[in-house]
Amino acid sequence: MTKQKLAEWIDAHFDEEVGVLQQLLRVPTDTPPGNNAPHADMVADLVKAYGWTAEKHAVPQQEVRDYGMESITNLIVRRPYADGGPTIALNAHGDVVPPGDNWTYPPYGGVVDNGYIYGRAAAVSKCDFATYIFATRALEALGVPLKGGLELHFTYDEEFGGLLGPGWLLEQKLTKPDYVIAAGFSYNIVTAHNACLQLEVTVHGKSGHGAMPETGHDALQAATRILNAIYGELPELKKIKSKIAGIDSPTMLVGRIDGGTNTNVVPGKVTLKMDRRMIPEEDPVAVEAHVRALIEEAVQGVPGITLEIKRLLLSHALRERPGTEKLVASIQQNAETFIGEKIPAQGTPLYADARLYGEHGIPAVLYGAGPRTVPESNAKKADERLNLEDLRKATKVVASTLFDFLGA
């Protein structure tokens, strides 16, 4: 009966929830450039209307700039209840990849059309700002005794890796919840995800006139050897299999190449940016050592060529921890009630900032508003969208899960 009251409150306030999501979508947070503090200010003002105080934790400006962004203010909304229960944190990120081209709806319009809301971050993950705010409001509107505490973590560094988002809050000892639910999709619970290594490889040669190429040392020709070595490794990676459902094999690719000065000049410098995804069973230290050796051996002995290899990112895998099973059981039970099916708990080849809670020993799962698969939502592509019924269902499931943990 109590959970039915939660659902009824959410239905009665659903138009308001959609309106809040529209506000969230209309303040751009393109990363890069990563000027995200204005969005945090807007969210802090928004929750003030509910009588909540959002603590603003601004990451020092120089640290943010050195990291490659412009401004980050992470928010914590603390809702303490009676003693004797756990603290649950709900985390969603506000930074987004730039919209790109080919939109048929304005990327920051929050347009509602035929049961969908359109906009950058409609599905990943400004939608879950709304999910978590309204799940919390529904819980508190019940007027029943609650124990423990709830924290809303609205953070602004996921696209760059999370170190200045949840990672920063945890390192500064500003929070240490007992459980975490982080932004995800309605039709599955993510309990594990891949690790990710990103390297920037700079190949130094020597420029020369195109009519006399022997006067230079061709950095692009050397970089081609590295590309061949990287892509030549892919059949071996396919042989490595994860035992976790939803995760297959490691992957590796070069996502960006920059170099050369002109058509008629021997390239003196070429930079490659590469991405190596690791399944949770792999050792990131061993993987990085192997990839570095692979790159170095590819150009060993090539005259006039030197290398710089810089690590851009090393994000660890999310793994199940003691307590994860309690979160999963509650979410699955509530999803059966409000979605009408038993949703799976599995891994994903993506990586997210939820792993940072796991690195601090906190059981964390990804669950929130969204479709069954990433491609359905156009996440990170043109016309990103969210089915509003998925927002409604996810809010009911999260609110009921909060009640399971915090109901006195």
Side-chain angles (χ1 to χ4, degrees):
M1 190 63 194
T2 304
K3 290 182 180 179
Q4 196 50 46
K5 284 184 178 173
L6 285 172
E8 287 167 5
W9 188 95
I10 289 162
D11 285 335
H13 293 80
F14 191 64
D15 287 347
E16 185 188 350
E17 183 174 1
V18 173
V20 164
L21 178 51
Q22 287 178 306
Q23 290 180 63
L24 293 164
L25 296 179
R26 285 171 181 161
V27 177
T29 49
D30 294 0
T31 302
N35 181 25
N36 290 318
H39 192 273
D41 291 339
M42 182 271 290
V43 174
D45 287 343
L46 193 152
V47 301
K48 199 183 290 181
Y50 311 135
W52 299 350
T53 300
E55 300 170 11
K56 294 183 180 181
H57 297 287
V59 181
Q61 193 72 41
Q62 195 57 51
E63 204 172 331
V64 175
R65 286 196 175 135
D66 290 346
Y67 194 65
M69 293 167 69
E70 291 182 3
S71 69
I72 297 175
T73 300
N74 297 308
L75 303 178
I76 301 178
V77 179
R78 299 184 204 266
R79 306 299 298 155
Y81 308 124
D83 292 342
T87 296
I88 298 186
L90 305 174
N91 170 238
H93 70 92
D95 58 310
V96 301
V97 296
D101 300 324
N102 303 317
W103 286 71
T104 54
Y105 296 86
Y108 288 110
V111 172
V112 174
D113 186 17
N114 200 28
Y116 286 86
I117 187 167
Y118 289 84
R120 175 55 83 233
V124 183
S125 80
K126 287 178 182 174
C127 57
D128 284 328
F129 279 55
T131 306
Y132 298 157
I133 287 169
F134 278 78
T136 303
R137 288 187 66 201
L139 178 75
E140 295 185 353
L142 280 175
V144 302
L146 301 170
K147 63 182 192 296
L150 184 55
E151 294 181 1
L152 299 171
H153 295 178
F154 298 133
T155 54
Y156 291 88
D157 171 33
E158 200 272 347
E159 302 299 346
F160 273 31
L163 298 179
L164 296 189
W168 194 80
L169 294 177
L170 292 160
E171 290 296 330
Q172 299 294 314
K173 298 188 169 26
L174 293 164
T175 182
K176 187 69 189 287
D178 298 297
Y179 299 94
V180 171
I181 300 174
F185 287 154
S186 311
Y187 296 88
N188 63 71
I189 306 160
V190 172
T191 55
H193 67 55
N194 280 348
C196 180
L197 169 69
Q198 293 180 349
L199 298 175
E200 181 181 81
V201 182
T202 304
V203 185
H204 294 281
K206 181 185 169 188
S207 297
H209 197 291
M212 296 173 284
E214 67 281 357
T215 62
H217 297 292
D218 193 329
L220 182 55
Q221 203 169 27
T224 304
R225 288 171 172 249
I226 294 170
L227 290 170
N228 286 336
I230 288 169
Y231 288 109
E233 182 98 339
L234 299 190
E236 290 304 310
L237 296 186
K238 280 285 179 197
K239 295 175 186 174
I240 304 169
K241 299 292 181 186
S242 175
K243 292 177 181 171
I244 299 168
I247 297 177
D248 186 18
S249 298
T251 61
M252 185 160 56
L253 61 85
V254 175
R256 179 162 179 164
I257 303 175
D258 297 287
T261 52
N262 205 357
T263 318
N264 59 349
V265 179
V266 174
K269 185 171 93 167
V270 172
T271 302
L272 314 174
K273 290 187 178 180
M274 63 167 295
D275 179 293
R276 167 68 157 86
R277 300 295 165 108
M278 295 167 272
I279 60 173
E281 292 92 336
E282 288 186 289
D283 173 8
V285 174
V287 168
E288 182 170 0
H290 175 74
V291 173
R292 284 175 176 268
L294 184 78
I295 292 165
E296 287 163 358
E297 285 166 14
V299 295
Q300 201 165 24
V302 178
I305 297 295
T306 58
L307 282 183
E308 281 179 80
I309 304 176
K310 175 185 170 188
R311 184 206 288 169
L312 300 176
L313 172 73
L314 180 59
S315 83
H316 292 271
L318 175 67
R319 297 179 176 87
E320 290 195 37
R321 297 190 172 274
T324 301
E325 72 288 345
K326 285 180 69 175
L327 282 170
V328 168
S330 173
I331 293 169
Q332 283 182 325
Q333 183 185 21
N334 291 314
E336 236 172 316
T337 302
F338 295 109
I339 298 178
E341 60 185 84
K342 183 162 185 179
I343 61 174
Q346 60 190 39
T348 177
L350 307 173
Y351 76 92
D353 52 7
R355 74 186 190 281
L356 296 158
Y357 294 100
E359 287 178 24
H360 282 75
I362 302 163
V365 300
L366 277 64
Y367 180 81
R372 293 175 194 276
T373 65
V374 174
E376 286 174 66
S377 67
N378 294 327
K380 302 197 176 182
K381 296 190 291 189
D383 288 343
E384 182 174 345
R385 67 181 192 166
L386 175 71
N387 186 321
L388 291 175
E389 283 308 302
D390 288 343
L391 176 65
R392 187 194 301 265
K393 291 172 186 172
T395 307
K396 291 177 181 179
V397 173
V398 172
S400 298
T401 299
L402 294 176
F403 180 76
D404 288 342
F405 281 80
L406 304 174

